[in-house]
């Protein structure tokens, strides 16, 4: 199976791009969705998280209290390392299963942390949706109704644009409107169909 990794910083338009690939009949596997699936109620990973951090992290409906867990790993590097060593292999396994079951010409793996994790190693090619930091800030504050400072903090915690550009194979500059993005995605789609046939 030919796999294209799709990434980009916050507010870059990753979701709009992956939605378009899906409209074109391409299987889209989302790493964020996989990360949620592996800690669903009754999953072994959730049990281990509860054993490690206590049952206060489990909500009334049996699901994980994500924001409290985020607090813990934000403050404690050892807890973060423990959690990543538990979840990353499970997430990778889930992603590979999804890709294996794909019936489209190629598959898209959407991951905000494509280059920060080993997920890029699952891909034949990588596509970066790129915008300026100013655009990231204005889109994200408008979309999520959050303060500019919060968005800047998220951007500074992510890999730099320069590093992403250095690591990627293909780039879509998404500074225009949705129609411009759709045209760009359609042209990449043609390219990937061709590459997957080779």
């Amino acid at each position: 199976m030919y796999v294209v990794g799709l990434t980009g910083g916050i507010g870059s338009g990753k979701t709009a791009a992956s939605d378009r690939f899906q409209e074109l009949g391409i299987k889209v596997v989302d790493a964020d969705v996989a990360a949620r699936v592996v800690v669903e109620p009754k999953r072994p990973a959730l049990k281990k998280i509860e054993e490690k951090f206590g049952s206060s992290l489990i909500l009334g409906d049996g699901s994980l209290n994500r924001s409290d867990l985020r607090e813990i790993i934000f403050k404690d590097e050892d807890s973060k390392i423990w959690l990543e060593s538990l979840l990353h292999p499970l997430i990778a396994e889930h992603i590979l299963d999804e890709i294996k079951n794909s019936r489209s010409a190629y598959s898209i793996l959407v991951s905000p942390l494509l280059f920060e994790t080993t997920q890029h190693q699952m891909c034949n090619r990588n596509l970066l949706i790129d915008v300026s930091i100013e655009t990231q800030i204005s889109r994200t504050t408008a979309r999520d109704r959050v303060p500019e400072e919060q968005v800047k903090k998220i951007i500074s915690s992510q890999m730099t644009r320069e590093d992403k550009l250095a690591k990627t194979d293909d780039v879509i500059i998404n500074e225009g409107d949705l129609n411009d993005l759709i045209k760009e995605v359609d042209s990449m789609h043609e390219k990937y169909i061709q590459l997957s046939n080779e």
Side-chain angles (χ1 to χ4, degrees):
M1 169 52 71
Y2 196 87
V3 182
V4 177
L6 173 65
T7 194
I10 188 170
S12 61
K14 278 188 309 294
T15 305
S18 68
D19 286 351
R20 180 58 183 167
F21 279 111
Q22 210 158 10
E23 283 167 12
L24 294 166
I26 298 305
K27 167 87 171 181
V28 172
V29 181
D30 189 320
D32 281 349
V33 172
R36 284 194 290 275
V37 169
V38 299
V39 292
E40 281 173 351
K42 310 235 187 318
R43 294 265 181 161
L46 187 62
K47 191 87 200 113
K48 287 185 177 150
I49 290 169
E50 185 180 358
E51 284 162 11
K52 171 92 174 158
F53 300 113
S55 51
S56 63
L57 277 185
I58 309 302
L59 296 168
D61 64 358
S63 67
L64 177 63
N65 185 332
R66 295 175 164 283
S67 60
D68 282 9
L69 181 60
R70 251 195 309 272
E71 281 293 300
I72 293 168
I73 63 168
F74 191 68
K75 289 180 185 144
D76 179 28
E77 187 62 23
D78 288 343
S79 294
K80 181 175 186 252
I81 291 165
W82 180 88
L83 187 69
E84 285 175 352
S85 68
L86 170 71
L87 296 184
H88 284 181
L90 298 171
I91 293 166
E93 194 182 323
H94 183 81
I95 289 169
L96 289 170
D97 281 348
E98 290 280 302
I99 289 169
K100 215 166 41 204
N101 294 322
S102 169
R103 296 289 166 259
S104 56
Y106 62 92
S107 294
I108 293 279
L109 168 57
V110 184
S111 174
L113 301 174
L114 189 71
F115 298 126
E116 290 91 330
T117 61
T118 54
Q119 289 167 0
H120 63 277
Q121 293 168 2
M122 301 178 189
C123 306
N124 302 84
R125 264 188 106 72
N126 297 306
L127 168 61
L128 173 67
I129 311 296
D130 186 50
V131 293
S132 68
I133 288 174
E134 294 71 36
T135 301
Q136 282 185 282
I137 293 168
S138 66
R139 280 187 189 157
T140 309
T141 50
R143 180 190 69 193
D144 300 345
R145 307 216 179 337
V146 290
E148 195 172 305
E149 280 317 304
Q150 199 179 326
V151 182
K152 283 181 176 166
K153 205 179 275 180
I154 293 167
I155 293 169
S156 69
S157 75
Q158 295 182 334
M159 185 183 280
T160 65
R161 278 181 77 195
E162 293 68 31
D163 285 346
K164 283 181 183 160
L165 285 163
K167 287 175 183 287
T168 198
D169 302 299
D170 302 312
V171 181
I172 290 177
I173 307 289
N174 185 25
E175 294 287 351
D177 63 15
L178 186 60
N179 287 331
D180 296 329
L181 178 63
I182 286 171
K183 275 190 209 118
E184 292 282 347
V185 169
D186 290 2
S187 122
M188 284 294 176
H189 172 65
E190 294 304 321
K191 176 180 179 171
Y192 297 145
I193 292 274
Q194 210 173 343
L195 286 169
S196 64
N197 286 337
E198 288 166 16

